[in-house]
Amino acid sequence: GYAIDHKADADGLVHMAIINDELQLGVALEYKKEQLPCFNEWKMLNIREYVVGLEPGKCLPVGLKAAKETGQIDHLDPNESRYVDITYTVLDGAQEIQEFEQKMKY
């Protein structure tokens, strides 16, 4: 996997996407970096198969012990909840892709 430190825009939002230019199709994510400061991308590349995971989160996949040592673990008490804001968007066509790419230029 790859740990990526995405930059946020002036509003604190991270904008990222996977785009297939040949199909003119993409999937975009937007989220608040303050809520999800870490990002992990993993890939599985096999013949005729391709899988990618896009994982914004609170910590990197370094294991429980290492995450505790670096203070990345958040504890939720029973019945406690926490909300995060993530927007997923399907980008359909060259125009939608170009408009989203403009958002990413900060």
Side-chain angles (χ1 to χ4, degrees), residues 61-79:
V62 294
L64 183 59
K65 181 179 177 185
K68 282 182 179 180
E69 290 172 357
T70 60
Q72 293 182 340
I73 295 293
D74 277 341
H75 176 79
L76 294 177
D77 291 324
N79 297 317

Side-chain angles (χ1 to χ4, degrees), residues 57-91:
K58 296 288 287 177
C59 65
L60 296 173
V62 294
L64 183 59
K65 181 179 177 185
K68 282 182 179 180
E69 290 172 357
T70 60
Q72 293 182 340
I73 295 293
D74 277 341
H75 176 79
L76 294 177
D77 291 324
N79 297 317
E80 184 181 2
S81 59
R82 189 159 305 141
Y83 296 92
V84 296
D85 302 294
I86 303 176
T87 302
Y88 296 91
T89 306
V90 173
L91 304 173

Side-chain angles (χ1 to χ4, degrees), residues 35-48:
Q35 295 174 339
L36 300 167
C38 300
F39 187 86
N40 185 56
E41 175 186 342
W42 61 266
K43 297 178 184 182
M44 193 236 355
L45 306 171
N46 279 343
I47 296 172
R48 300 178 54 131

Side-chain angles (χ1 to χ4, degrees), residues 92-106:
D92 188 7
Q95 182 176 344
E96 288 185 13
I97 291 169
Q98 289 171 357
E99 288 171 2
F100 191 82
E101 287 174 341
Q102 289 302 311
K103 282 184 165 182
M104 296 171 56
K105 294 183 179 180
Y106 46 87

